[in-house]
């Protein structure tokens, strides 16, 4: 998924204002608690059971919540801001306010649910990632959650050296350790929406810049395609055990190719891509107040991408290829955002 790439570009471009789209140490104890809950309360998994959506106000979670609600499903949307959940409540959803690192709150939210959509929030630190995935896994085990679709990232098969994606590897392993939980890990590609962070750079510097190599091809995917795929798998619940599925978007693109498509879409034919050095990126992040250790986590990820350590493992197929092209994304999303920001700046 590599959704974290967005945040470094946004941080560079927006004067330090982050733009946000979105271990169980005792697994055996968790499994025992799950069994105890099932034996005591006889939780029934029915076809009209509750679906719990973490990150329901985010790019993928909102698509999933809308889809399930439109299909007449019972939906519990969870988030920290009750106000951002109200649009789902108006559609018939149940709102649950809580923090993803609160294992007790998550256990309550998951109790009696048929299935859940699980995801980690944007990284604040690797330590926080571990606490969050601990809480999610603990709650999944103790509540007896039967099914889960887990938003991960392509490259999450690598156990270390991948920056924030290391936390998704860890999260996958914790969920895989829960007996009785059927989980599908969606290893999504680089989000096309990450490129929206480049609008400020284009308007301010006349280039599109990043730490990524200009000619390295990456699978790129639109977040509605991720949300739509996850929603369908939640509706079907056609997976069992512990499974992974890469979602690779419509095709692979390099940053140079993506920049050329953006250039045509916004009417700036001379727009070019420029690769920033790792030292430049690290320095900018530190100047904007990010602790050196945290900035280094992002640098580690960019290095892993450029070295092809973070790379797709599945051959491209009909099953892991989605429909939205980068041209369509630029036409429908990037260009309107770019021109809208330009009009706002001129007002």
């Amino acid at each position: 998924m590599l959704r974290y790439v967005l945040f470094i570009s946004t941080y560079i471009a927006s004067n330090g204002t982050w733009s946000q789209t979105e271990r169980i140490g005792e697994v055996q104890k968790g499994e025992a608690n799950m069994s105890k809950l099932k034996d005591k309360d006889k939780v029934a998994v029915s076809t009209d059971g509750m679906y719990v959506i973490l990150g329901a106000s985010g790019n993928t979670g909102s698509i999933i919540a809308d889809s399930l609600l439109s299909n007449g499903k019972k939906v519990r949307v969870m988030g920290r801001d009750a106000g951002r959940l109200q649009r789902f409540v108006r559609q018939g959803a149940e709102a649950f306010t809580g923090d993803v690192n609160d294992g007790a709150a998550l256990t309550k939210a998951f109790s009696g649910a048929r299935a859940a959509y699980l995801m980690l929030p944007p990284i604040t630190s690797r330590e926080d990632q571990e606490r969050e995935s601990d809480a999610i896994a603990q709650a999944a085990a103790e509540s007896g959650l039967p099914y889960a679709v887990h938003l991960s990232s392509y490259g999450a098969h690598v156990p270390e050296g991948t920056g924030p994606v290391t936390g998704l590897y860890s999260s996958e392993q914790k969920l895989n350790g829960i007996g009785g939980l059927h989980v599908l890990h969606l290893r999504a590609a680089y989000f096309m929406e990450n490129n929206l962070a480049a609008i400020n750079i284009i308007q301010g510097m006349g280039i599109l810049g990043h730490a990524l190599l200009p000619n390295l091809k990456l699978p790129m995917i639109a977040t509605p395609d991720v949300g739509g795929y996850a929603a369908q798998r939640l509706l079907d619940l056609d997976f069992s055990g512990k499974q992974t599925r890469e979602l690779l978007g419509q095709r692979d693109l390099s940053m140079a190719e993506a920049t050329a498509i953006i250039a045509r879409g916004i009417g700036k034919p001379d727009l070019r891509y420029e690769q920033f050095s790792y030292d430049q990126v690290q320095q900018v992040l530190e100047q904007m107040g990010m602790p050196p250790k945290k900035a280094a986590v992002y640098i580690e990820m960019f290095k892993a991408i450029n070295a092809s350590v973070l790379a797709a493992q599945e051959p491209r197929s009909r099953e892991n290829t989605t429909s939205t092209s980068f041209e369509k994304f630029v036409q429908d999303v990037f260009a309107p955002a770019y021109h809208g920001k330009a009009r706002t700046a001129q007002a």
Side-chain angles (χ1 to χ4, degrees), residues 313-329:
Q313 300 300 292
E314 296 179 15
R316 184 173 286 279
S317 66
R318 183 173 61 84
E319 288 74 22
N320 61 27
T321 296
T322 51
S323 61
T324 303
S325 68
F326 196 74
E327 288 84 355
K328 181 68 171 173
F329 163 75

Side-chain angles (χ1 to χ4, degrees), residues 150-187:
H150 173 231
L151 180 61
S152 188
S153 170
Y154 87 103
H157 64 286
V158 181
E160 60 184 3
T162 59
V165 181
T166 301
L168 296 173
Y169 167 87
S170 179
S171 185
E172 286 191 10
Q173 298 307 305
K174 293 169 189 178
L175 293 171
N176 287 345
I178 301 172
L181 174 66
H182 303 291
V183 59
L184 174 64
H185 305 291
L186 295 186
R187 293 179 175 174

Side-chain angles (χ1 to χ4, degrees), residues 278-290:
Y278 300 128
D279 288 342
Q280 286 174 317
V281 175
Q282 175 93 23
Q283 186 177 40
V284 168
L285 290 176
E286 291 182 23
Q287 287 174 348
M288 291 181 172
M290 183 181 288

Side-chain angles (χ1 to χ4, degrees), residues 193-239:
E193 287 78 2
N194 292 350
N195 293 282
L196 291 169
I199 290 174
N200 287 331
I201 298 176
I202 294 169
Q203 293 180 344
M205 301 176 62
I207 62 170
L208 195 159
H210 204 291
L212 298 178
L213 290 167
N215 297 314
L216 176 67
K217 286 185 177 289
L218 305 174
M220 294 192 187
I221 192 167
T223 54
D225 287 354
V226 179
Y229 184 91
Q232 191 60 54
R233 298 304 295 268
L234 284 167
L235 287 168
D236 295 340
L237 294 182
D238 56 353
F239 54 91

Side-chain angles (χ1 to χ4, degrees), residues 134-146:
D134 279 350
I136 291 171
Q138 173 193 338
E142 294 185 353
S143 67
L145 182 69

Side-chain angles (χ1 to χ4, degrees), residues 66-97:
D66 286 339
S67 178
L68 294 175
L69 287 165
S70 69
N71 277 276
K73 300 301 182 183
K74 297 177 182 178
V75 175
R76 181 177 295 144
V77 290
M78 184 170 178
R80 290 179 296 180
D81 185 345
R84 297 183 68 184
L85 302 176
Q86 288 309 300
R87 78 172 186 87
F88 304 109
V89 173
R90 289 191 291 271
Q91 298 178 65
E94 173 188 322
F96 190 100
T97 305

